[in-house]
Amino acid sequence: MTSPHRQAPLRFITAGSVDDGKSTLIGRLLYDSKALLGDQVRRLESSRSQGAIDFSALTDGLEAEREQGITIDVAYRYFATAHRKFIIADTPGHEQYTRNMVTGASTAHAAVLLIDAAQLDFSQQPLQLLPQTKRHSAILRHLRCPHIIVAVNKMDLLGFSQEKFNVVAAAYRELADTLGLPETRFIPISALNGDNIVHESAHTPWYRGGSLLQVLESLPAGEGVSEAPQDFHFPVQLVQRADGSKQDDFRGYQGRIEAGSVRVGDKIRIEPAGLESSVRGIIGLKGSVDQATAGEPATLLLADDIDISRGDTILSAASPLEPQRRLAATLCWFDSRPLNPARKYLLKHTTRTVPAKIAAVRRVWDVHTLSHSAGRNTLEMNDLGEVELTLAQPLVCTSYAANPATGAFILIDEATNHTAAAGMILADAEAAGETQQAEQAT
């Protein structure tokens, strides 16, 4: 299943409920793939308790985490195999830290969702998954994570039963269909014992899907952005002026290209002012270039002397995008203080920050019924809901589905400076679809 050539680095997260073995899984993955340094191996092996290695000691680094026995912060780990480099985000399972999970998942190419099979009641028909499994799955759907791997953990406590594994997989497939998740893979594992983590396990002869590491090595990276051709989109991060030694008339506009490409001579439009010009020069990391594409940092030189500041957006002249003052978005609420439509918030989108108000709460997602409930005018911490926002100043943005980089934002409480929520902008068709689903649910 592994690729014969070295692929692009893969960012992935672990997600799931409390005590389902996420930190242990990462520790075992690093240990068995020989991705640890000698002193790390010695420290890990010295953590043996009753003969077993405490693999979670590799990621639960905060003193508060060790005291409570749960993951609180997002722990990032880097490792490489002969086929690929990886960046892992070990995210908390406790509901209180759902916002931390959102942070880790926002840049992930894939998610390893752990289900602790030993916690499930197989006498229930149909099998009921834990609320945090549903919550994290809903977040992954809204964040449009392209690859989801369901790792059914602690199979050793179930005698590596194929029948029970199939019951868990069937229950999750039903959840995935309800949420509209992408195609999902299932792997029976024992994180503590290393079954199907790096090497295929002899305890599951009925499973032929490859180990977790083999699956991760085979996944494509960089998905999540619409494959449709996109126009040039360049949020201005910094205006660079001459230092006085030479080129006194130099003025370059710096940032990262978030969509499309640009060539010297292309006609462009600056928003929200709506002014037009053309590109007379492009400076990349290694000097002047004729063209730059999405994902690359660049300095643009324009043919005309235009008043451009940080937060402005440079688009291709033919781009259909227009500045907007009203948005529909999905919010994951982070703050312990509930959403209050009367409060003032700051909306930070790419390099621009504007005052914003919550005009309406359309509906809130119910983790227990897997449906939206209308009639609520607030969001509590860790709630997922759809809202309408009004902006004091216009933004140039896309839907999150079209491009996560230009469709995501955060809300900041203006009074406390706390990050109140993470938001994903909805296209008109998406918002209409959410409304129809909510009406059917009620």
Side-chain angles (χ1 to χ4, degrees):
M1 294 183 64
T2 57
S3 169
H5 57 84
R6 197 175 184 89
Q7 299 188 56
L10 184 81
R11 290 177 174 265
F12 72 93
I13 68 161
T14 58
S17 300
V18 177
D19 293 333
D20 57 7
K22 295 182 296 300
S23 297
T24 300
L25 169 68
I26 292 177
R28 172 62 82 171
L29 182 62
L30 296 175
Y31 183 78
D32 284 359
S33 64
K34 304 187 186 304
L36 298 175
L37 300 175
D39 60 334
Q40 292 176 310
V41 173
R42 288 189 293 273
R43 186 170 67 250
L44 189 61
E45 292 181 341
S46 68
S47 70
R48 289 180 184 271
S49 175
Q50 298 180 347
I53 295 177
D54 181 11
F55 291 102
S56 66
L58 277 174
T59 52
D60 288 345
L62 299 179
E63 182 178 354
E65 293 179 328
R66 294 192 295 270
E67 289 176 352
Q68 297 183 48
I70 62 173
T71 300
I72 295 173
D73 202 3
V74 181
Y76 292 94
R77 290 293 180 270
Y78 305 83
F79 79 104
T81 67
H83 301 281
R84 191 169 218 168
K85 293 180 179 179
F86 297 94
I87 303 172
I88 317 171
D90 181 23
T91 61
H94 198 285
E95 179 181 349
Q96 179 181 353
Y97 305 108
T98 298
R99 59 192 182 277
N100 302 50
M101 181 266 180
V102 173
T103 301
S106 62
T107 58
H109 302 126
V112 179
L113 184 69
L114 267 75
I115 295 179
D116 182 353
Q119 289 190 49
L120 301 179
D121 183 0
F122 287 90
S123 66
Q124 290 183 325
Q125 295 295 331
L127 181 70
Q128 296 299 309
L129 299 174
L130 297 178
Q132 270 301 78
T133 301
K134 298 176 183 179
R135 185 186 304 276
H136 286 180
S137 298
I139 291 171
L140 292 172
R141 180 263 184 186
H142 285 294
L143 290 173
R144 299 186 177 270
C145 183
H147 302 289
I148 296 177
I149 303 166
V150 176
V152 184
N153 194 20
K154 303 184 183 178
M155 287 296 298
D156 53 312
L157 300 181
L158 301 179
F160 294 97
S161 168
Q162 180 181 8
E163 179 183 358
K164 291 184 177 179
F165 171 78
N166 289 339
V167 170
V168 176
Y172 192 87
R173 284 194 186 96
E174 183 176 351
L175 172 65
D177 290 342
T178 301
L179 294 176
L181 288 171
E183 183 178 352
T184 304
R185 306 184 189 213
F186 299 88
I187 305 176
I189 68 168
S190 170
L192 184 62
N193 298 324
D195 293 277
N196 289 326
I197 304 299
V198 171
H199 308 290
E200 296 183 39
S201 173
H203 293 119
T204 54
W206 42 268
Y207 170 73
R208 287 289 183 267
S211 69
L212 175 62
L213 181 60
Q214 290 173 329
V215 172
L216 291 171
E217 286 180 331
S218 70
L219 293 179
E223 293 185 13
V225 178
S226 171
E227 294 182 359
Q230 294 187 319
D231 291 313
F232 176 62
H233 194 129
F234 183 84
V236 176
Q237 184 173 3
L238 181 68
V239 180
Q240 185 67 44
R241 300 299 302 273
D243 59 8
S245 59
K246 55 183 178 179
Q247 285 189 291
D248 289 339
D249 62 343
F250 178 89
R251 180 182 293 174
Y253 305 102
Q254 298 180 327
R256 187 179 71 174
I257 301 173
E258 300 295 1
S261 62
V262 63
R263 298 182 65 91
V264 174
D266 282 354
K267 295 189 177 300
I268 53 90
R269 190 174 83 244
I270 299 96
E271 295 291 359
L275 302 174
E276 295 189 356
S277 184
S278 61
V279 178
R280 68 176 177 85
I282 304 171
I283 303 174
L285 292 177
K286 297 182 179 181
S288 296
V289 294
D290 292 328
Q291 181 177 7
T293 59
E296 296 179 1
T299 300
L300 300 186
L301 310 179
L302 303 186
D304 301 286
D305 187 8
I306 299 175
D307 183 14
I308 300 175
S309 304
R310 172 183 168 85
D312 288 341
T313 302
I314 300 178
L315 305 170
S316 61
S319 173
L321 296 180
E322 297 288 346
Q324 301 181 54
R325 287 184 179 268
R326 294 186 65 88
L327 300 175
T330 298
L331 290 185
C332 179
W333 198 255
F334 289 177
D335 204 349
S336 57
R337 188 194 299 262
L339 179 154
N340 183 347
R343 291 184 70 81
K344 295 180 180 178
Y345 298 98
L346 296 174
L347 187 151
K348 181 172 176 54
H349 171 265
T350 62
T351 61
R352 189 172 179 84
T353 302
V354 301
K357 292 196 70 174
I358 311 296
V361 178
R362 291 180 176 176
R363 59 199 63 87
V364 182
W365 193 79
D366 190 320
V367 68
H368 300 288
T369 63
L370 301 181
S371 63
H372 289 90
S373 58
R376 286 178 56 183
N377 64 351
T378 188
L379 294 175
E380 305 283 346
M381 186 169 69
N382 299 318
D383 274 344
L384 280 170
E386 184 186 322
V387 303
E388 295 178 12
L389 300 109
T390 56
L391 312 178
Q393 300 167 12
L395 286 181
V396 177
C397 54
T398 67
S399 69
Y400 189 85
N403 189 341
T406 53
F409 63 88
I410 61 171
L411 282 183
I412 302 168
D413 189 309
E414 193 173 34
T416 64
N417 209 35
H418 291 168
T419 300
M424 292 144 279
I425 298 170
L426 296 170
D428 292 340
E430 289 179 292
E434 293 284 354
T435 301
Q436 184 178 12
Q437 289 179 8
E439 291 173 348
Q440 292 173 350
T442 56

